Amino acid sequence: MPRRPAAPAILPARQALRIVTWNINSVRLRRPLLAELVRHLDPHVICLQETKCPDEHFPLEEIRAFGFPHVAHRGMKGYNGVAVLSRLPFAIRHDDPNWCAKNDCRHLGVELDVPGGPLELHDFYVPAGGDEPDPAANPKFAHKLDFLAEATAWMLGRGPARRSVMLGDLNVAPLEHDVWSHKALLKVVSHTPVEVAAMAAWMAAGQWHDAVRHFVPAEEKLYSWWSYRAKDWEAADRGRRLDHVWCSQDLAGALTRQHILKPARGWPQASDHVPVLVELAL
DNA sequence: ATGGTTGAAAATCAA
């Protein structure tokens, strides 16, 4: 096995910071793929969603052994769950909102210790919203819209984001070419106009910048998720871009790279989402 | 075309 020396605890001056978001769909089942992710992308920080792991069962020591001594996790039995794995020290933010008063482990905020001062980092797992895009008929869709509205109001109240990164499985594909067929998905949860508008309002509330589309023209197809239900996900290529990385305007000039690790969808026992990397020269 | 697959859990439920 190839070996690489562990990254230093402090990010060296002028080394770009690599941050990954990944809906891992069970952190316990996919621990080996986490090591594979590290081998391919060598990130300093990994933000996970859908860990599906109560805190008392989180595989902490194994993950530390992958080279991530600093770990925060917020999990529950069966569903949801987020985690931040880091080579660099961070402080957990404890006063972020309890979204929709549900205590359902969909958000973890940290202050990352990087050169030039702390970087605020928010890891989100937005409700998927069920199948029927009607909040009156489908409580899950109502929850999704409520969640998006609360997050928007919170960010409006805080003012424009500064020195911040906002990422995660946001479960909305906002642009026409964030889905395989804009027309076919207009009434499919994740791409309905009401969700797209809600996401646009959220982005505008913090004056966030799309750090991935920064590098990829809006006219180009770009996905981070492919359904398990396709016979051949790669041949059909009916994907959606549900996973996002946003940065505050003051960091837009620091963006140096994005990478969506599409081959991860073909790994054995893959998640239906693939890791998304953004690199910032802070 | 309303299917199809996966994970955690043990009823199915959520995605």
Side-chain angles (χ1 to χ4, degrees):
Chain A
M1 288 292 284
R3 294 192 54 184
R4 183 188 316 118
I10 302 300
L11 189 70
R14 306 199 348 233
Q15 183 180 342
L17 176 70
R18 290 183 295 279
I19 303 180
V20 165
T21 177
W22 189 27
N23 179 321
I24 193 170
N25 188 14
S26 170
V27 69
R28 285 175 286 184
L29 190 69
R30 278 182 249 287
R31 277 172 291 185
L33 300 190
L34 205 44
E36 201 64 11
L37 183 164
V38 172
R39 201 170 70 75
H40 279 82
L41 298 177
D42 192 25
H44 300 93
V45 182
I46 302 172
C47 296
L48 301 175
Q49 305 87 35
E50 279 205 272
T51 54
K52 296 184 175 176
C53 183
D55 286 332
E56 61 270 28
H57 296 137
F58 195 88
L60 188 57
E61 291 312 318
E62 238 176 296
I63 281 171
R64 283 186 172 147
F66 290 154
F68 296 83
H70 308 282
V71 178
H73 47 82
R74 190 167 285 164
M76 60 195 285
K77 188 171 153 185
Y79 315 102
N80 306 336
V82 285
V84 177
L85 325 178
S86 179
R87 297 191 190 277
L88 309 171
F90 62 75
I92 299 175
R93 293 169 52 88
H94 289 288
D95 298 324
D96 290 334
N98 174 20
W99 306 103
C100 303
K102 282 182 180 285
N103 295 306
D104 59 356
C105 305
R106 293 182 177 276
H107 176 210
L108 189 50
V110 302
E111 310 272 348
L112 198 64
D113 188 4
V114 293
L119 181 84
E120 192 174 305
L121 173 64
H122 292 282
D123 179 12
F124 271 93
Y125 175 50
V126 171
D131 288 330
E132 176 60 46
D134 174 1
N138 173 12
K140 290 181 199 166
F141 194 69
H143 177 215
K144 184 177 197 173
L145 296 183
D146 288 346
F147 189 103
L148 292 168
E150 275 192 19
T152 301
W154 182 60
M155 287 193 177
L156 261 182
R158 302 182 79 212
R162 294 282 179 255
R163 209 173 163 75
S164 302
V165 172
M166 225 307 303
L167 54 73
D169 176 3
L170 306 186
N171 267 317
V172 179
L175 304 181
E176 289 198 18
H177 295 290
D178 288 339
V179 295
W180 64 276
S181 167
H182 172 61
K183 196 177 169 186
L185 291 179
L186 274 170
K187 292 180 178 174
V188 173
V189 171
S190 73
H191 193 61
T192 64
V194 63
E195 292 168 87
V196 170
M199 172 170 272
W202 188 9
M203 268 192 109
Q207 295 182 20
W208 295 101
H209 178 70
D210 187 329
V212 176
R213 279 294 180 190
H214 180 88
F215 298 98
V216 184
E219 300 75 32
E220 195 173 308
K221 293 288 184 193
L222 196 60
Y223 314 135
S224 65
W225 171 91
W226 291 261
S227 172
Y228 281 129
R229 296 176 187 178
K231 277 183 194 148
D232 182 337
W233 71 273
E234 197 167 19
D237 200 24
R238 293 183 166 187
R240 305 177 202 170
R241 189 170 71 110
L242 304 178
D243 304 275
H244 299 272
V245 183
W246 300 343
C247 68
S248 50
Q249 294 292 338
D250 57 343
L251 294 182
L255 290 166
T256 49
R257 186 163 73 104
Q258 70 82 28
H259 189 80
I260 297 183
L261 194 61
K262 184 173 177 180
R265 185 61 181 80
W267 288 347
Q269 205 162 26
S271 170
D272 45 355
H273 296 252
V274 300
V276 178
L277 170 117
V278 160
E279 190 177 88
L280 293 147
L282 295 170

